[in-house]
Amino acid sequence: MLEDEYQLDFFYENGFIRKQCSKCGKFFWTRDVDRSTCGDAPCDPYSFIGDPVFKKNYDLSEMREYYLKFFEDRGHTRLERYPVVARWRDDIYLTIASIADFQPFVTSGQVRPPANPLTISQPCIRLSDLDAVGRSGRHLTTFEMMAHHAFNKENEEVYWKDHTMELCDELFNSLGADPLAVTYKEEPWAGGGNAGPCVEALIGGLEVATLVFMDLEQSGQGNILIKGDQYRKMDNYIVDTGYGLERFVWASKGSPTIYDAVFPNIVNELMGLAGIEHELDNSEYANILAQNARFAGLMDVSEKANLFQLRKQVASSIGTTVDKLSTIMEPVENVYAITDHTRCLTFMLADGIIPSNVKEGYLARLVLRRTLRKMNEMDIRIPLSEIVEMHIDNLPEYPEFGEKLDVIRDILEHEEKKFADTLERGRRMIRKSAKHYKSAGEKIPLSTVIEMYDSHGIPPEVSKEAAAEMGVETELPDNFYSLVAEGHSRAEAKVEKVFPYADKVDKLPKTKRLFYDEPARMEFEAVVLDVFDNHLVLESTLFYPEGGGQPADHGTITVYDDVLNVVDVQIVNGVVVHTINGTEDEFHLRKGDLVIAKVDEERRMAHACHHTATHIVNDAARKVLGDHVWQTGAQKTVERARLDISHYKRITQDELNQIELIANRTVMENQRVTAEWMDRVDAEKKYGFKLYQGGVPPGNRIRVLKVADDVEACGGTHCTSTGIVGPIKMLKTERIQDGVERIEYAAGLAAVRATQKLQSYLDQSAEALRVLPEHLPSTIERFFGEWKDFKKENEKLKDELAHVRVAGMINDAIDIGGIRVIASLVPNADAEELVKIAGELTREKDVVSILVSDAEGVKIVAAAGNDALIAGANAGSIVREMSKVVGGGGGGRPNMARGGGVDPLKVNDSLECGVALLKEQLKVA
RNA sequence: GGGCUUGUAGAUCAGUUGGAAGAUCGUCGCCUUUGCAAGGCGAAGGCCCUGGGUUCGAAUCCCAGCAAGUCCA
């Protein structure tokens, strides 16, 4: 079936023939009648190294510009790149392909494309082959996907396969590629719920472009089977191409590795710092790298076993040993990886990712720490920010990077310190553990190494190294990381809550939402469209459904004489569903009834104040903390609101005060709050992706809300001007994740109430201490100091008291088998005092003391001096038995034990019991 | 979003089965020394993160919170 897809006029008219690869069996198109292989790895090895495929060599910006200009000249609109962090999507963190820019709404046909056809060079980040980066000679974490896209609809076709192939082929020809060297391999493509035929463009053994003709979508009813899944034709069909900028540059230069082609000056600089002579003019050295890249091109080197295979092949091809080769290659590979990783970090941080322990922030930290480890290994002792600065200088076509330099430097310094601390902490833990296993004469077990990594972030090599310094071996198998993964329990798939009547609701027309046009109106009449149990759908409503962190409106709906309470309002696919407190039996509503409804105005106003305040605070936070601040969540209630923002440090009280001041200033300026329905594409162009801080709404048109300098796509109900918000009172900050700060505040009347509450805390505290509130800090400090002094003095007095008492008590000792025994009641003494007395008494070696007190129930302490112990006395068992008598328990060591009970009347019985037991122990009849 | 680890003296950390809060470094005082480095003797310094619970008794066990670290999606 799919075969027909590739029978293009373009091929036939341009002298191509379809062949089947003699090695992999796949079909491909070529102009070369003698060719028998498809041109892709592993069927064809790299031939471009040392033998560039284009007539001229290009650096990144030249190549990018050439490409974009080429497509611009051929009717495409050039688009600015999108950020590497996919702010407009909630299903992926990073931009992994140019088409990701247009998913999901443009590709689904819901939103018109920003231009059609268009061309773009989109920086992408893929961390899936992290281990291969540096080793394979071709893998990068960050690359630019140059692309031209055409979005076709039935009866509105821009262009499809033939023209796409034509453009691609023309591009190669214009760059001076040998037409006979270019092959186009057929390779059906599927991913992310879509699929379609695809052609890979290959030259010199290198895949440089992928041309996807996306025209299928996954569907249970589909009749096209690809890789076991069913697909069906889509109404719209999309030309999704991807040309690897870095690969084009590499192919144009023919350097041994892609790294030497893409950022040669930084590679050289770092090689120098690492003390490696990276002389590509040296043909022997260049040959090693080239051979490595050629062989690596044929395999996946992210696995250790494969890496060894690679080494073996390269070693034998140049006539050396694996060991010798490894000592040459490993440092070079590390430097390549460092160069690549730092470029990745440059894009990540400049586009606003804050390193964190969750989400995309974790990915940034992962790359960052990996880089630091490699730098450490290579003994490159410069701040990370210096390398990042080199990249920024190297990428003048991204002027926005330079503007972020100060924040980036700050973040990097902070992260470097953090990692150094973590490692130092880890080394200490390992040393401790090593000491333990050394004395036992054992290796450090795997479980410890896993825990060090999993719970404390200490890479296994670091553990091993630290242990080795102590002369202890470490158990560290090759499949360490998979063992770590095994230890993790599988996350349970969460069951998403589905509205039970979703099917029926889907058939109803979308509810007219009146609250946008008439934000001040609270009463309305409407016709009932349908009723499901206690859920009610009206044809129009003033009730705001929960959304955007704003809770649902409450209120009443009156029908005939029944007043029904609305306790929840949700929106299901554009249909607003009101939930009534009660069951259907209790009220009598039918389709077509006319109801009078009233929204709880106070609740709505409180929400509106907090919602508008949230935008104001967000704006103020960005002004105080910096432009990297990004809203990651928000929630409003009647009493308070909270805003989560990305920030790499804790917010200080001083900063919070500033935010509060700026926010209240915005309020006092009484600026108009405006909401405007805009075309999505226009809005994005005008305001950027900051629009989507509160979430990404669906649809072609979005509601753009402007509050002060904050512009966001927001569907909430708001105050009409900032003055109406009233005072904004900061309540607290909280660190909900590393890199995410939560600010809590109250606005309007809630702010006044919050302030009053704080005031009452102060007043109550001041009153309790009988001072004025302004004297609280000094008074409390004094009190706390005095309390500590009293505590110490109390301790001292008890010591002295014990000392004094002891003198009297020792005289009352009775002799039991040569041991002096003091068994007595010490009235009102607490356990602490008894211990002191007993301790004091038993400094005499031949003494056993059994003390009982009637404070707070019964306290019992027994102690035995050294001679008494030898004679058989055991305070522990004495106390245990005595405690039973008074209805409690106790125990301790033979020389000192404590216990107690609840029955003070049995104090004497208990003492007698203790003495009797002691006699037994001392074997005195 | 899920998992794991940790909060004890100024710092780094011990603290057994629940039963007398410790070590090392640092600080202070005295001694030794021509001086420095160091050594000797001694001292100060603890809401054992917070709040509940279990218990005669909690740094220790349980629950909740706060703070910190870390792995993964």
Side-chain angles (χ1 to χ4, degrees):
Chain A
M1 162 80 213
L2 272 167
E3 244 174 63
D4 304 340
E5 303 273 359
Y6 300 99
Q7 308 293 323
L8 304 180
D9 294 344
F10 164 80
F11 287 132
Y12 293 114
E13 285 165 11
N14 288 278
F16 282 90
I17 26 178
R18 186 168 190 259
K19 291 195 162 197
Q20 187 167 19
C21 179
S22 62
K23 292 195 176 163
C24 67
K26 286 182 180 157
F27 290 95
F28 65 98
W29 295 81
T30 176
R31 288 186 173 99
D32 184 353
V33 284
D34 298 327
R35 182 175 260 288
S36 64
T37 50
C38 63
D40 197 3
C43 310
D44 284 86
Y46 292 166
S47 62
F48 67 93
I49 294 179
D51 182 17
V53 298
F54 303 137
K55 64 174 177 244
K56 173 178 171 316
N57 69 39
Y58 295 83
D59 66 21
L60 278 185
S61 63
E62 289 166 350
M63 191 70 241
R64 185 193 301 112
E65 182 54 33
Y66 185 98
Y67 180 93
L68 294 172
K69 180 85 176 18
F70 178 91
F71 283 94
E72 231 174 5
D73 288 347
R74 283 155 185 80
H76 293 72
T77 305
R78 183 195 293 220
L79 243 55
E80 287 297 310
R81 66 142 184 139
Y82 284 46
V84 293
V85 48
R87 301 286 197 198
W88 59 95
R89 296 184 59 167
D90 45 21
D91 53 342
I92 50 172
Y93 297 131
L94 300 171
T95 307
I96 50 168
S98 64
I99 195 69
D101 296 350
F102 310 107
Q103 288 168 322
F105 301 124
V106 175
T107 49
S108 70
Q110 254 180 291
V111 172
R112 73 169 170 82
N116 200 8
L118 60 85
T119 184
I120 190 170
S121 184
Q122 176 58 46
C124 300
I125 295 180
R126 291 186 189 175
L127 301 179
S128 45
D129 293 315
L130 210 48
D131 279 325
V133 173
R135 283 181 186 158
S136 71
R138 72 174 190 282
H139 280 97
L140 295 162
T141 52
T142 314
F143 60 94
E144 283 189 43
M145 188 181 280
M146 302 187 292
H148 59 104
H149 294 292
F151 303 91
N152 302 300
K153 280 185 179 165
E154 229 176 337
N155 307 323
E156 271 181 71
E157 183 168 301
V158 182
Y159 60 79
W160 191 229
K161 296 179 201 167
D162 280 291
H163 189 53
T164 303
M165 293 308 309
E166 226 169 81
L167 287 167
C168 178
D169 206 50
E170 196 186 340
L171 176 70
F172 286 132
N173 290 334
S174 81
L175 283 165
D178 172 10
L180 294 180
V182 177
T183 54
Y184 296 108
K185 188 169 83 162
E186 298 175 8
E187 182 82 69
W189 171 90
N194 291 103
C198 162
V199 171
E200 288 181 357
L202 304 144
I203 182 164
L206 187 66
E207 180 193 339
V208 288
T210 306
L211 314 171
V212 176
F213 303 104
M214 196 196 289
D215 62 350
L216 302 173
E217 61 187 355
Q218 214 167 349
S219 161
Q221 283 97 54
N223 52 0
I224 303 165
L225 208 65
I226 299 172
K227 294 175 184 167
D229 290 318
Q230 284 174 286
Y231 290 86
R232 69 173 176 207
K233 285 266 182 198
M234 290 194 289
D235 297 337
N236 50 334
Y237 47 108
I238 298 160
V239 173
D240 170 20
T241 65
Y243 295 69
L245 169 61
E246 285 78 3
R247 289 193 176 190
F248 268 75
V249 169
W250 188 19
S252 86
K253 290 187 175 175
S255 56
T257 70
I258 201 167
Y259 319 110
D260 292 302
V262 173
F263 26 60
N265 47 347
I266 302 177
V267 166
N268 289 334
E269 177 89 26
L270 292 179
M271 290 286 183
L273 286 170
I276 299 169
E277 285 177 35
H278 187 59
E279 288 166 353
L280 296 178
D281 301 340
N282 177 336
S283 63
E284 197 185 333
Y285 177 69
N287 186 41
I288 297 176
L289 298 185
Q291 282 297 84
N292 192 72
R294 279 187 202 110
F295 284 110
L298 312 179
M299 56 168 63
D300 169 17
V301 292
S302 53
E303 278 185 32
K304 244 189 176 152
N306 288 353
L307 180 66
F308 183 71
Q309 280 305 315
L310 171 67
R311 293 267 194 266
K312 244 166 83 177
Q313 289 174 11
V314 175
S316 76
S317 86
I318 58 170
T320 184
T321 63
V322 171
D323 281 350
K324 271 189 191 160
L325 180 68
S326 291
T327 50
I328 297 173
M329 287 307 293
E330 269 169 26
V332 175
E333 288 168 350
N334 276 332
V335 171
Y336 283 149
I338 293 167
T339 317
D340 165 87
H341 291 2
T342 44
R343 188 168 78 134
C344 181
L345 284 172
T346 307
F347 273 95
M348 282 176 153
L349 299 179
D351 277 356
I353 297 183
I354 306 292
S356 161
N357 57 343
V358 287
K359 299 190 179 169
E360 70 272 4
Y362 173 69
L363 301 177
R365 184 167 282 169
L366 182 83
V367 174
L368 190 142
R369 294 195 164 184
R370 217 183 136 85
T371 311
L372 287 174
R373 255 167 28 219
K374 287 186 184 293
M375 281 171 68
N376 191 39
E377 210 175 311
M378 298 315 299
D379 213 22
I380 297 176
R381 307 249 173 243
I382 57 171
L384 205 46
S385 57
E386 264 183 49
I387 308 178
V388 168
E389 255 184 274
M390 290 183 211
H391 281 294
I392 292 179
D393 292 343
N394 208 33
L395 293 163
E397 55 274 42
Y398 296 115
E400 63 269 32
F401 289 4
E403 292 162 23
K404 297 279 178 64
L405 185 58
D406 285 343
V407 181
I408 292 176
R409 209 183 275 137
D410 207 13
I411 292 173
L412 288 174
E413 263 170 36
H414 195 251
E415 283 294 314
E416 264 176 295
K417 184 175 179 314
K418 230 175 136 101
F419 190 45
D421 289 349
T422 293
L423 287 184
E424 185 44 43
R425 209 176 11 250
R427 288 207 189 88
R428 271 199 307 266
M429 282 190 267
I430 280 290
R431 276 198 288 268
K432 208 184 333 175
S433 164
K435 214 186 254 173
H436 174 256
Y437 287 106
K438 190 175 189 176
S439 60
E442 290 169 25
K443 283 185 186 180
I444 292 186
L446 180 61
S447 63
T448 301
V449 186
I450 287 183
E451 200 201 320
M452 288 305 296
Y453 174 72
D454 208 17
S455 298
H456 303 293
I458 311 304
E461 317 86 63
V462 175
S463 292
K464 191 175 180 155
E465 192 188 302
E469 280 166 22
M470 302 278 297
V472 180
E473 272 186 80
T474 308
E475 199 183 326
L476 186 57
D478 273 354
N479 59 343
F480 176 80
Y481 290 99
S482 44
L483 289 173
V484 172
E486 238 167 67
H488 293 154
S489 55
R490 303 278 161 273
E492 285 169 48
K494 259 204 279 200
V495 188
E496 216 163 287
K497 225 168 66 184
V498 183
F499 181 63
Y501 304 100
D503 286 356
K504 289 177 188 166
V505 167
D506 265 354
K507 296 194 178 84
L508 296 172
K510 292 190 173 170
T511 312
K512 282 181 214 146
R513 286 174 281 170
L514 307 174
F515 44 82
Y516 287 133
D517 290 335
E518 298 179 276
R521 201 173 130 202
M522 295 293 142
E523 268 189 76
F524 68 103
E525 292 184 1
V527 174
V528 176
L529 285 189
D530 215 335
V531 182
F532 317 102
D533 283 347
N534 57 334
H535 305 291
L536 179 63
V537 178
L538 304 172
E539 81 37 75
S540 65
T541 189
L542 274 176
F543 281 95
Y544 179 82
E546 183 179 351
Q550 181 178 335
D553 278 341
H554 289 176
T556 56
I557 287 178
T558 309
V559 55
Y560 308 119
D561 288 332
D562 286 347
V563 179
L564 310 171
N565 286 316
V566 177
V567 292
D568 192 21
V569 185
Q570 295 290 331
I571 187 161
V572 183
N573 294 328
V575 178
V576 177
V577 180
H578 307 73
T579 302
I580 308 293
N581 186 15
T583 59
E584 202 178 358
D585 309 338
E586 294 167 27
F587 48 84
H588 310 285
L589 267 176
R590 251 168 266 121
K591 285 185 197 178
D593 280 348
L594 188 70
V595 298
I596 300 169
K598 203 172 162 189
V599 175
D600 178 341
E601 184 167 5
E602 214 172 301
R603 182 179 163 91
R604 160 72 75 76
M605 273 310 295
H607 287 157
C609 282
H610 281 127
H611 204 151
T612 306
T614 299
H615 290 251
I616 294 172
V617 171
N618 193 10
D619 182 45
R622 192 171 305 116
K623 283 173 179 157
V624 172
L625 303 174
D627 225 23
H628 60 278
V629 164
W630 192 273
Q631 176 181 332
T632 62
Q635 186 58 248
K636 298 101 198 170
T637 67
V638 172
E639 298 86 29
R640 54 169 60 193
R642 57 173 211 234
L643 171 71
D644 301 338
I645 54 169
S646 61
H647 184 50
Y648 52 96
K649 284 189 273 202
R650 293 305 308 260
I651 296 174
T652 62
Q653 186 56 50
D654 196 47
E655 286 165 338
L656 192 65
N657 289 346
Q658 277 186 59
I659 292 170
E660 193 173 56
L661 279 174
I662 292 177
N664 280 287
R665 201 169 289 146
T666 306
V667 168
M668 287 189 288
E669 282 164 6
N670 199 20
Q671 302 182 38
R672 259 172 57 78
V673 172
T674 63
E676 185 189 354
W677 285 93
M678 284 182 78
D679 182 276
R680 181 186 208 95
V681 176
D682 295 340
E684 283 180 6
K685 258 184 210 156
K686 195 161 173 190
Y687 301 112
F689 297 107
K690 279 191 173 143
L691 279 173
Y692 299 140
Q693 292 193 55
V696 188
N700 211 356
R701 295 178 71 73
I702 55 177
R703 185 168 179 260
V704 176
L705 189 91
K706 286 193 219 176
V707 183
D709 294 330
D710 181 79
V711 185
E712 285 181 49
C714 179
T717 59
H718 282 270
C719 301
T720 48
S721 65
T722 58
I724 296 172
V725 171
I728 298 175
K729 177 70 197 150
M730 295 294 147
L731 300 176
K732 66 182 270 200
T733 64
E734 196 179 342
R735 198 198 78 150
I736 56 166
Q737 292 148 8
D738 203 8
V740 181
E741 289 284 308
R742 171 168 293 174
I743 305 177
E744 287 194 14
Y745 45 90
L749 284 180
V752 177
R753 282 192 207 102
T755 312
Q756 288 171 346
K757 205 163 159 193
L758 288 173
Q759 185 63 44
S760 82
Y761 294 150
L762 277 182
D763 290 344
Q764 284 172 40
S765 309
E767 202 172 326
L769 295 176
R770 308 273 191 279
V771 297
L772 295 170
E774 58 262 43
H775 291 153
L776 271 176
S778 59
T779 306
I780 287 169
E781 199 163 331
R782 183 167 60 82
F783 272 36
F784 189 61
E786 283 176 4
W787 173 79
K788 284 205 271 193
D789 290 344
F790 284 138
K791 212 175 79 156
K792 271 175 256 173
E793 201 178 334
N794 189 22
E795 195 82 354
K796 232 176 257 166
L797 288 174
K798 277 183 190 170
D799 276 341
E800 282 171 28
L801 187 61
H803 193 72
V804 171
R805 280 186 170 166
V806 162
M809 288 167 84
I810 199 97
N811 295 328
D812 296 339
I814 50 171
D815 187 288
I816 299 179
I819 297 292
R820 283 188 284 168
V821 177
I822 296 127
S824 67
L825 175 75
V826 187
N828 274 321
D830 61 24
E832 215 51 35
E833 287 177 69
L834 294 184
V835 168
K836 284 187 193 303
I837 297 168
E840 190 91 13
L841 284 168
T842 49
R843 274 151 86 168
E844 303 287 330
K845 289 179 179 170
D846 61 338
V847 167
V848 169
S849 64
I850 301 172
L851 306 177
V852 179
S853 149
D854 53 1
E856 295 171 58
V858 182
K859 304 286 172 211
I860 302 167
V861 171
N866 240 340
D867 292 351
L869 285 175
I870 294 163
N874 185 331
S877 50
I878 292 173
V879 169
R880 199 172 304 120
E881 291 309 313
M882 289 174 69
S883 301
K884 278 183 197 161
V885 176
V886 290
R893 292 187 293 254
N895 67 320
M896 169 70 76
R898 34 165 59 187
V902 289
D903 189 356
L905 297 174
K906 298 243 173 88
V907 163
N908 286 322
D909 296 351
S910 174
L911 267 176
E912 277 168 31
C913 164
V915 173
L917 185 59
L918 178 62
K919 277 184 182 163
E920 245 172 72
Q921 288 174 350
L922 297 175
K923 302 200 175 75
V924 176

